[in-house]
Structures are given as structure tokens and as C-alpha cells.
């Protein structure tokens, strides 16, 4: 089975899951975090190289203050409790997103988790936090524009590779497979540039109900896709010439 090197997941549906159970949205976020832990371990054990989890978008800052604070507290608790486990599982942790907007204690825990797991050589786990792809691309354009203004480079030298290496995901390879739960079929400002040739897998399962079996289904679906990258499939080249 062809395994994707990089899996990215838009973990969606926590609120609706809680609502169905007549519980507050926070209940869904707590359960969602537990599911994330399981899926991280599952990906690690399967030998996936990179896993990016969309945990909080730039637009999520516009949710009610109480929900935002709660999400930050859950994140803080996750980092505090899980860092040792990440080391045990040989998982290297990193983040993408506008960290300047995060509370100081969360930022500190992030830095701690990154430092503690820096030497781990197994799964590379990326949390997209306070992340927005348009913001990321805007920052990259600004950085490149500054280099041109300083005379460091000329406008003609700007190419895809330069843009790529100016993004916060660099040097992580593009996601091969993007999974979104909860039935929504959109990117919601996630990895717009990087998703140019990603395979998409949408499932109606709400994130708190997502299990290792669902992950397996997504990976199997991926292995059955034929990625062409705009070219002609290998086995149809001959047919064309006949
Ligand atoms: C995903 O679940 C978690 C975050 C965006 C932080 P939601 O909170 O978006 O759940 P729904 O989409 O409202 O059900
Ligand atoms: C996307 O989910 C962000 C995360 C999963 C963290 P949202 O629930 O914020 O996206 P929309 O609002 O349905 O597009
Ligand atoms: Mg949602």
C-alpha cells in the first residue's frame, strides 16, 4: 500500500458532536483532543513522516472569547501532559501560524515541546495554530519584496522555489493527503499553496467520532488514487500512440 509521506487533517465537527449530545461545545473540544492524541500515535506507528493538524485558524479568533480561551487552555494542557509521551514515541513537534497572538504561557509550552522533542527522528508532528494560509502567503510576499527593495535579489529571480522556501511550512514537503471530517468540503484557509496537488479525502464523520479505522479507510482510499500531476498516466502512454 502506498503510504502518504505527509498527511494533513482539518479536524472539524467538535461543536456539532457536542450539540448532538446536548452538551456544551467545550465537551466536543475535549473529546476532539483525545481523538487527536490517538490519531497522532496511529500515524506515528504506521510510519507516516509528517502529520499536520489544523487546530486553530486565524478566523477562529473571531469565535466567542469564552470558546477561544477554552481552546487555549486545552492546548496548554495537552502540551504540558503530552510532551513526555511525544519523546517516548520519538515524535518531533513543531508549529506553523501566527504565534504572536497566542497567550504567553501557551507560547512557552510550545517552545518547551519543540526543544524537548527536537532530536526525535520519528513522526514530525505539526500543529497549525492561529494559522491562515493567506496570511502566510502575504508574509512570504512581504519578505521577498523587502529583499528586492534592499537590492538583495532582483524581481526576475523570484520563482516557485523561493516562494516555497518563504512559507512557514518549509522545508516540510507538501501534503500528499488532506483529510477533512464533519462533511464540510472546503479548505478554510488551510495550506492553499501547498495543496496544489494534494489528494482530498472528505468524510461525514465528526472529528470526535474519528477512529483509527477511519484513518485506515482514508489511507486505503489514498493508495487507490492515481496521482498524475498534470502528466499522462504511465499505462495510457502506449494506448495513445496506437
Ligand atoms: C473544530 O471543530 C475545532 C476547531 C475549529 C477549533 P468546530 O469547533 O469547528 O466544530 P463545528 O464545526 O462547529 O461542529
Ligand atoms: C477549520 O474549521 C479550522 C479548524 C479545524 C481548526 P472551521 O470550523 O473553523 O471552518 P469553517 O468555519 O467551517 O469554514
Ligand atoms: Mg467547524
Amino acid at each position: 500500500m502506498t503510504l502518504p509521506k505527509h498527511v494533513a487533517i482539518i479536524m472539524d465537527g467538535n461543536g456539532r458532536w457536542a450539540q448532538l449530545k446536548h452538551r456544551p461545545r467545550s465537551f466536543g473540544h475535549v473529546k476532539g483532543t483525545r481523538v487527536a492524541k490517538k490519531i497522532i500515535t496511529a500515524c506515528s506507528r504506521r510510519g507516516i513522516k509528517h502529520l499536520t493538524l489544523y487546530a486553530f485558524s486565524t478566523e477562529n479568533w473571531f469565535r466567542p472569547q469564552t470558546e477561544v480561551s477554552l481552546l487555549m487552555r486545552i492546548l496548554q494542557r495537552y502540551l504540558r501532559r503530552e510532551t513526555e509521551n511525544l519523546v517516548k514515541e520519538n515524535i518531533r513537534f513543531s508549529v506553523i501560524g501566527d504565534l504572536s497572538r497566542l497567550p504567553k504561557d501557551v507560547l512557552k509550552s510550545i517552545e518547551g515541546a519543540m526543544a524537548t522533542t527536537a532530536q526525535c527522528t520519528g513522526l514530525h508532528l505539526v500543529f497549525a495554530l492561529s494559522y491562515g494560509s493567506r496570511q502566510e502567503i502575504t508574509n512570504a510576499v512581504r519578505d521577498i519584496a523587502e529583499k528586492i527593495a534592499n537590492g538583495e535579489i532582483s524581481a526576475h529571480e523570484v520563482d516557485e522555489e523561493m516562494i516555497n522556501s518563504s512559507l512557514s511550512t518549509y522545508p516540510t514537503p507538501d501534503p500528499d493527503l488532506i483529510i477533512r471530517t464533519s462533511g464540510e468540503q472546503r479548505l478554510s484557509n488551510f495550506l492553499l499553496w501547498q495543496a496544489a496537488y494534494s489528494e482530498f479525502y472528505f468524510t461525514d464523520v465528526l472529528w470526535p467520532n474519528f477512529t483509527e479505522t477511519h484513518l485506515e479507510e482514508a489511507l486505503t482510499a489514498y493508495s487507490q488514487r492515481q496521482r498524475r500531476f498534470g502528466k499522462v498516466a504511465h499505462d495510457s502512454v502506449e494506448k495513445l500512440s496506437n
Side-chain angles (χ1 to χ4, degrees):
M1 191 165 104
T2 325
L3 207 62
K5 249 177 133 174
H6 181 180
V7 176
I9 308 182
I10 303 173
M11 310 180 290
D12 199 12
N14 293 351
R16 277 164 284 169
W17 179 84
Q19 202 173 16
L20 282 171
K21 294 194 159 343
H22 307 287
R23 300 292 299 266
R25 293 177 60 84
S26 56
F27 186 62
H29 293 315
V30 171
K31 176 71 184 350
T33 309
R34 242 179 273 146
V35 169
K37 255 166 63 177
K38 280 218 178 95
I39 297 304
I40 291 165
T41 309
C43 286
S44 160
R45 299 200 172 148
R46 270 160 210 273
I48 285 162
K49 299 271 179 270
H50 309 271
L51 172 66
T52 302
L53 297 179
Y54 204 5
F56 194 86
S57 73
T58 42
E59 289 73 23
N60 289 151
W61 287 114
F62 297 109
R63 291 191 179 192
Q65 182 53 37
T66 47
E67 182 167 347
V68 171
S69 312
L70 180 106
L71 284 166
M72 292 300 144
R73 273 218 310 280
I74 291 177
L75 178 64
Q76 168 73 343
R77 199 171 53 186
Y78 169 84
L79 293 167
R80 224 182 33 234
R81 287 187 183 171
E82 280 307 302
T83 303
E84 279 318 306
N85 269 339
L86 294 179
V87 175
K88 270 190 213 130
E89 299 265 351
N90 198 23
I91 297 172
R92 179 166 64 92
F93 175 79
S94 73
V95 280
I96 51 171
D98 180 5
L99 304 185
S100 69
R101 297 180 72 178
L102 296 175
K104 289 248 160 13
D105 56 338
V106 174
L107 195 57
K108 246 183 135 175
S109 299
I110 289 172
E111 285 165 356
M114 282 174 66
T116 313
T117 62
Q119 307 304 324
C120 295
T121 54
L123 174 73
H124 172 213
L125 169 66
V126 185
F127 274 16
L129 279 177
S130 183
Y131 174 85
S133 192
R134 284 186 169 179
Q135 189 181 43
E136 177 189 38
I137 292 169
T138 305
N139 288 340
V141 170
R142 197 178 296 132
D143 288 349
I144 293 170
E146 259 170 27
K147 282 189 190 146
I148 296 172
N150 294 341
E152 269 177 69
I153 54 165
S154 83
H156 298 287
E157 286 174 81
V158 178
D159 58 8
E160 286 187 16
E161 191 40 47
M162 189 182 292
I163 295 172
N164 202 34
S165 59
S166 305
L167 297 174
S168 62
T169 42
Y170 187 78
T172 306
D174 289 342
D176 300 294
L177 172 65
I178 297 181
I179 299 172
R180 184 168 188 152
T181 58
S182 89
E184 309 299 354
Q185 302 192 1
R186 53 178 172 260
L187 277 174
S188 301
N189 207 7
F190 188 49
L191 304 177
L192 304 180
W193 169 279
Q194 298 87 339
Y197 270 103
S198 300
E199 294 296 326
F200 290 90
Y201 183 85
F202 298 109
T203 169
D204 286 340
V205 175
L206 300 171
W207 179 249
N209 287 330
F210 196 80
T211 62
E212 207 172 328
T213 310
H214 296 120
L215 174 70
E216 180 75 47
E217 281 166 16
L219 294 175
T220 303
Y222 172 83
S223 72
Q224 289 161 354
R225 306 265 178 101
Q226 190 182 48
R227 301 183 78 188
R228 287 188 288 277
F229 300 96
K231 298 170 191 159
V232 175
H234 223 59
D235 57 358
S236 60
V237 173
E238 211 183 323
K239 286 177 209 148
L240 267 176
S241 59
N242 283 340

